[in-house]
Amino acid sequence: MEFIMQINEVANHFVWGPPGMILLVGTGIYLTFLLGVPQLRYFFPAIAEVFSFRQRGEGDKSISSFAAMVTAMAATVGSGNVAGVATALHLGGPGALVWMLISAFFGMCTKFAEVTLAIHYRKKDAQGDWRGGPMYVLEYGLGEWGGVWKPIGKFLAVLFALFALFASLGMGAAVQANSAAEVLFMGWNVDHMNSGIMMAVAVGLVIIGGLTSLSRVTVFVVPFMIVFYLVSAGILLLSHWTQIPVAIGDMFRMAFSFDPAVFAGGVAGWCVMEAVQRGVARGVFSNEAGMGSAPMAYVTADCAHPVQMGFYGIFEVFVDTFVICVITGLAILVTGTMTFYPDLTGAQLVLSSFELVLGVSGKYIFAIALLLFVTTTILGWYWYAETAVTYLFGVRFKSVMKLLLIVMIVLGASGAQMLDASGNDYLNNIWNISDTLIGLMAFPNLISLLLLSLTLRRLVKDYDVQKTVQKVCDVPEKKPVSKELRELLLVSVCAALLPLALIVFGDSSREAMRPQDISLQTVLNSGRFVVGVDDNFPPMSFTDENGELVGFDIDLSREISSRLGVTSVVRPIAWKDKEEELDSRKIDCIGSMSVTPQAVKTMSISEAYIKDNLVFVVRGDSNIMWLSDIKGKKIGIQTGSTTDDVFRKSEFNKDAVIVPLMDNVAVLQQVKEGNVDVGFVDSLAAFYFIRSSSERYFILPDSLSEEDLALGFRKNDKELRNRVQKILSEMKADGTLGKISQKWFKSDIIIVR
């Protein structure tokens, strides 16, 4: 696998680096001049065509042009419009947004060209469905030339279909499902496996009906999510409207200035070449112009002329990049989020912008939008996968494709958790390979566009001539304006009202949001991460013979603090008062917190890192061998602890004499001195005590309870909890947690995912 990933890294740098970007943009520039700047000539006719809402022809298995466009946009408008833009700004600075628009301008022509060619060379499969895309253009377009071009075209067609198939399963299903699962987990604490199953069922119910079912869903959902996101982001921009001219000025200044301008925080020191590369790469990743994917959806539409369908490609890129991506970029820039959170990137950066301005409502608004984005992307890419597998193996393999996609959704959503630490590597590998495959899709597609560019020019001239001589290319009048217009208006109104309702009825004030929003920033600003511990809980935290506070939690706190970039402060607390210490903000979190239903209800708990049993310890000379033997005996228990609560609720409470003591150490010392018959303590403390003693002690074979230990945070300190949780997962993956565990337990007993 390591060798494969090394090859993938080289290929990725090629397809998303200067060679691939030059070919992508260069093809767009060449076609722009060859076809007479169609993105400008046909811009307003394209808008008129899109909003004409013409119905499909009768007796045909095609769908309407508008339905085909929204099916393509389901795959195009996705996490790239959010995470891709944020990544471009983070790595390339504000100037990257300008270069994203420049590449999109030529991308409008590229997508117009690839859609037009795909319509011209589309074919019907064995079941009567329209199929098309770069593979059909390559096979039948180059095949027309005969000779050596026929096998070359077939080879490139198969290559593209393979790239598209595997990219659909990876980026189109697994990675998108993981993004949706993360949103559900962070926003509503939904388990990843449950998220995967829910998404798999929902997607399965849609795709089982094929193109008709898919288009019916996308016609409603895609316009809804676009309007919902634009209205939400528009509200954010209106609240910072005075900063918009400044942000636009910074964009153009940093796009063309060869001096590394110096800005505050996270926007410092970018040069123009970095802005160019990041802007172009993420722009192409977002609008998919040149990738060859969208034509596979457009060929399913009823249209009178290939060029007429190409209009929809122009409109799609315009909405995707010039509208959605620009608004996302401005939302980040005007709020100054990159300055406040210079270490954030991707969707987290956009989420912080929404939450900073709209408070708690902003978090839920963004979560809903991103969830819709990634879910529709899965649906759109399914059609690409089905088209690819139909081309490669025939229509009989469509059912296999559907099942495989559903499996990849579940694996993508929960695979990282099911595979423990290796799950992160698994997901990263899928992401990286899929990213490369999407880039590789462009090469066969661009070859077809360049080789068949003269055919394109003939098609465009044919359309222009027909319009000139009044041979109207519009769909005949028997196809009246459809009900799609009324449906679009209704969906748009609902989508516009929803964010307004969430803001009005939600807690959207910045003051109310502060305790939830700045927990991480407060720790970073103070330069200290304060952990409260029970200082008599060996080996987790205790005072050694030199009077120093040592233990697993102390080492854990130091490593977490180091990765946060702050100083570690470990503060002994009275365990019975731990909640009061936390609520009074004397500490930032509690170490070795028992994960109980009550704790989960009142605190924000990290994932557990150690399992702990509550066990009974007796001296080696004791005649107590089973739990039934403790009746009437003196039981030493730490007062106010979880062990105290568990024992008092057990059936043994009424038959034993409880001796309340200060802590685990005191309990075990009283067992040693014979003042109590049995000590009821945490297994971690018991094992450490027994290993450290020269005398013989036994742990009774039965336990009353098994618990997980984790870090406990204030209920609303989600940002701090999430960052620490991420660090814990990284420490598990790189072996640091295992080393700390070996030091204190002589084995790796860590259970954190």
Side-chain angles (χ1 to χ4, degrees):
M1 178 56 72
E2 184 177 352
F3 177 69
I4 294 175
M5 295 312 300
Q6 288 176 351
I7 296 176
N8 180 76
E9 184 177 0
V10 174
N12 191 276
H13 288 164
F14 178 80
V15 297
W16 291 112
M21 295 302 99
I22 290 172
L23 181 60
L24 274 165
V25 179
T27 301
I29 294 173
Y30 165 69
L31 292 175
T32 294
F33 289 102
L34 178 72
L35 304 179
V37 198
Q39 61 267 60
L40 293 183
R41 285 199 299 127
Y42 295 142
F43 181 73
F44 291 107
I47 294 177
E49 172 64 29
V50 168
F51 290 101
S52 65
F53 297 100
R54 304 182 190 278
Q55 290 181 335
R56 66 181 179 86
E58 299 296 332
D60 194 345
K61 295 188 72 174
S62 63
I63 61 177
S64 72
S65 299
F66 183 79
M69 183 189 71
V70 295
T71 301
M73 292 186 75
T76 303
V77 180
S79 58
N81 297 81
V82 178
V85 173
T87 301
L89 290 177
H90 180 79
L91 298 176
L97 194 57
V98 174
W99 287 103
M100 188 180 293
L101 295 178
I102 292 173
S103 70
F105 174 77
F106 296 108
M108 291 166 71
C109 180
T110 304
K111 184 156 285 192
F112 164 80
E114 60 188 15
V115 171
T116 300
L117 271 182
I119 292 289
H120 184 62
Y121 289 107
R122 65 180 177 174
K123 306 290 180 183
K124 286 191 175 183
D125 63 23
Q127 295 180 349
D129 290 318
W130 282 113
R131 299 289 180 181
M135 63 281 266
Y136 292 85
V137 173
L138 285 162
E139 179 177 353
Y140 297 103
L142 297 186
E144 290 177 347
W145 297 359
V148 71
W149 289 106
K150 191 169 185 178
I152 290 176
K154 182 65 176 179
F155 171 75
L156 292 174
V158 171
L159 205 60
F160 176 87
L162 289 172
F163 291 154
L165 175 59
F166 290 116
S168 300
L169 295 174
M171 188 68 71
V175 172
Q176 300 298 328
N178 180 261
S179 299
E182 289 293 333
V183 170
L184 290 171
F185 177 74
M186 293 179 65
W188 294 277
N189 203 31
V190 179
D191 181 76
H192 290 75
M193 175 61 78
N194 293 336
S195 297
I197 293 173
M198 287 189 296
M199 280 186 286
V201 171
V203 171
L205 290 174
V206 175
I207 65 177
I208 196 171
L211 177 64
T212 302
S213 174
L214 181 64
S215 63
R216 283 174 181 169
V217 172
T218 56
V219 161
F220 285 99
V221 177
V222 173
F224 179 91
M225 75 177 185
I226 292 176
V227 173
F228 175 81
Y229 182 73
L230 292 181
V231 170
S232 303
I235 295 171
L236 183 152
L237 291 177
L238 285 175
S239 67
H240 287 71
W241 66 271
T242 57
Q243 296 299 315
I244 295 177
V246 177
I248 294 175
D250 288 344
M251 285 164 46
F252 282 93
R253 182 153 58 92
M254 296 191 72
F256 301 105
S257 172
F258 284 85
D259 295 327
V262 179
F263 287 82
V267 291
W270 287 295
C271 67
V272 66
M273 290 308 297
E274 190 72 11
V276 172
Q277 182 173 344
R278 300 297 179 180
V280 173
R282 292 301 92 182
V284 172
F285 184 82
S286 171
N287 58 50
E288 298 180 17
M291 299 292 101
S293 53
M296 290 186 275
Y298 283 106
V299 296
T300 61
D302 176 46
C303 67
H305 195 283
V307 170
Q308 188 180 41
M309 203 64 215
F311 288 174
Y312 289 83
I314 294 174
F315 181 80
E316 179 198 337
V317 176
F318 175 77
V319 172
D320 178 274
T321 307
F322 282 84
V323 179
I324 301 176
C325 288
V326 168
I327 286 182
T328 300
L330 287 175
I332 296 171
L333 294 175
V334 301
T335 56
T337 314
M338 287 199 300
T339 301
F340 300 145
Y341 306 104
D343 54 335
L344 294 183
T345 187
Q348 288 184 332
L349 189 60
V350 189
L351 172 63
S352 298
S353 301
F354 273 78
E355 197 168 4
L356 190 67
V357 176
L358 303 178
V360 178
S361 298
K363 179 179 71 173
Y364 289 112
I365 286 172
F366 180 78
I368 292 171
L370 189 59
L371 188 61
L372 289 172
F373 280 171
V374 299
T375 304
T376 56
T377 298
I378 295 175
L379 294 176
W381 274 91
Y382 162 73
W383 183 252
Y384 302 160
E386 183 180 300
T387 301
V389 82
T390 300
Y391 177 81
L392 291 169
F393 308 113
V395 293
R396 63 186 181 278
F397 280 88
K398 290 197 301 183
S399 299
V400 177
M401 184 66 243
K402 292 174 182 177
L403 180 61
L404 189 57
L405 184 92
I406 289 172
V407 170
M408 290 302 295
I409 290 173
V410 176
L411 286 177
S414 59
Q417 286 68 38
M418 290 191 296
L419 297 176
D420 196 43
S422 61
N424 293 321
D425 294 333
Y426 144 85
L427 195 61
N428 288 335
N429 290 342
I430 288 182
W431 175 276
N432 292 331
I433 292 174
S434 301
D435 191 44
T436 303
L437 288 170
I438 287 178
L440 288 172
M441 287 169 59
F443 285 86
N445 180 54
L446 294 175
I447 289 172
S448 70
L449 294 179
L450 292 172
L451 293 178
L452 296 169
S453 58
L454 297 182
T455 302
L456 266 171
R457 187 169 64 174
R458 285 196 298 271
L459 289 171
V460 171
K461 285 185 176 180
D462 177 69
Y463 179 81
D464 290 338
V465 168
Q466 290 190 42
K467 297 297 289 185
T468 302
V469 299
Q470 301 298 316
K471 292 181 180 178
V472 181
C473 296
D474 295 337
V475 178
E477 297 203 4
K478 67 177 183 179
K479 299 177 181 177
V481 174
S482 74
K483 63 179 181 180
E484 285 176 339
L485 176 58
R486 296 189 298 273
E487 293 172 348
L488 178 64
L489 291 175
L490 179 61
V491 167
S492 299
V493 170
C494 294
L497 291 176
L498 181 56
L500 294 174
L502 289 172
I503 293 171
V504 171
F505 295 105
D507 184 7
S508 59
S509 69
R510 291 184 61 182
E511 290 75 20
M513 180 266 298
R514 279 293 179 185
Q516 303 174 26
D517 184 61
I518 63 172
S519 56
L520 174 61
Q521 199 63 37
T522 299
V523 170
L524 297 179
N525 290 342
S526 69
R528 303 191 314 160
F529 180 53
V530 185
V531 180
V533 299
D534 179 354
D535 60 347
N536 286 293
F537 184 14
M540 303 308 292
S541 49
F542 63 101
T543 303
D544 65 7
E545 61 272 11
N546 298 320
E548 294 184 5
L549 191 60
V550 296
F552 178 93
D553 280 334
I554 283 67
D555 289 350
L556 179 67
S557 172
R558 287 172 181 163
E559 183 63 28
I560 292 173
S561 299
S562 175
R563 299 191 185 207
L564 283 172
V566 297
T567 302
S568 172
V569 178
V570 181
R571 178 171 295 167
I573 58 175
W575 199 248
K576 61 183 179 64
D577 299 327
K578 55 186 178 296
E579 287 87 355
E580 289 79 1
E581 294 276 344
L582 188 64
D583 293 339
S584 64
R585 297 190 175 271
K586 294 178 181 178
I587 57 177
D588 296 310
C589 77
I590 301 171
S592 291
M593 182 71 199
S594 297
V595 183
T596 63
Q598 179 62 24
V600 171
K601 184 178 180 180
T602 59
M603 296 183 191
S604 183
I605 306 292
S606 74
E607 289 184 355
Y609 46 81
I610 288 177
K611 280 193 177 296
D612 181 31
N613 294 328
L614 301 182
V615 297
F616 295 92
V617 179
V618 298
R619 294 182 301 277
D621 59 356
S622 174
N623 60 0
I624 300 175
M625 299 183 64
W626 307 99
L627 286 185
S628 58
D629 298 333
I630 69 173
K631 293 181 179 180
K633 305 295 184 182
K634 291 183 179 180
I635 312 295
I637 300 177
Q638 178 182 350
T639 184
S641 65
T642 305
T643 51
D644 191 6
D645 294 337
V646 170
F647 189 82
R648 292 184 184 277
K649 294 177 182 178
S650 73
E651 59 181 299
F652 303 100
N653 179 39
K654 58 184 178 181
D655 297 321
V657 179
I658 296 178
V659 180
L661 296 167
M662 286 292 295
D663 49 58
N664 281 318
V665 173
V667 171
L668 293 168
Q669 186 63 32
Q670 291 299 307
V671 172
K672 179 179 181 180
E673 295 175 359
N675 296 327
V676 297
D677 300 305
V678 184
F680 187 45
V681 296
D682 296 271
S683 60
L684 301 173
F687 290 141
Y688 189 81
F689 170 75
I690 292 172
R691 283 202 309 268
S692 304
S693 176
S694 59
E695 302 178 37
R696 296 185 68 190
Y697 298 89
F698 292 103
I699 295 176
L700 299 187
D702 294 319
S703 171
L704 288 189
S705 175
E706 180 182 85
E707 295 178 332
D708 291 337
L709 298 184
L711 296 175
F713 299 82
R714 283 178 287 274
K715 188 68 175 177
N716 294 327
D717 286 359
K718 294 293 181 64
E719 284 196 9
L720 179 60
R721 192 283 305 269
N722 290 341
R723 177 61 64 86
V724 171
Q725 179 57 58
K726 182 180 179 182
I727 291 174
L728 283 173
S729 298
E730 292 170 351
M731 290 170 63
K732 171 63 176 177
D734 63 27
T736 304
L737 271 180
K739 292 178 181 178
I740 299 176
S741 179
Q742 289 282 354
K743 175 181 177 181
W744 292 104
F745 305 110
K746 308 305 179 186
S747 63
D748 184 355
I749 64 172
I750 301 301
I751 63 171
V752 68
R753 292 187 297 202

